[in-house]
Amino acid sequence: MRKPKKPKPLGVCNVCGALAAEIEFVNQRCNRVVHGRRCYGILKSELTHVWAECMVCNATGKVGTQACDECGGWGWRLIA
């Protein structure tokens, strides 16, 4: 039985590159902690950019029972 593919992320931080899966986080301040402080970036919509399925995990975000290291467990990679 195949694992279901994860949906594409909806936002990316314009400073640290953190991804967001919930639409509520888009256009909000990033929650990632960078060097002991909260990132000052904004999660921007990335619907207009091209996303590619991670070839290692086939867009499932997992390799076996572990989170995929290539895509950080998201299943997708942003092609700039």
Side-chain angles (χ1 to χ4, degrees):
M1 185 170 179
R2 287 185 154 177
K3 295 178 190 173
K5 292 183 179 185
K6 287 188 152 193
K8 295 176 187 176
L10 298 174
V12 176
C13 176
N14 62 345
V15 174
C16 71
L19 300 176
E22 304 287 329
I23 193 71
E24 293 85 23
F25 295 126
V26 174
N27 294 326
Q28 302 293 322
R29 189 169 169 207
C30 180
N31 285 328
R32 181 183 261 180
V33 176
V34 180
H35 303 298
R37 293 182 175 222
R38 185 176 174 190
C39 176
Y40 58 88
I42 303 293
L43 292 164
K44 297 292 185 178
S45 174
E46 289 299 330
L47 297 176
T48 59
H49 289 76
V50 178
W51 291 93
E53 289 185 9
C54 177
M55 300 303 285
V56 176
C57 66
N58 294 322
T60 61
K62 293 193 175 232
V63 177
T65 59
Q66 302 291 325
C68 178
D69 289 331
E70 274 306 301
C71 63
W74 284 93
W76 296 89
R77 299 178 61 119
L78 181 65
I79 300 175

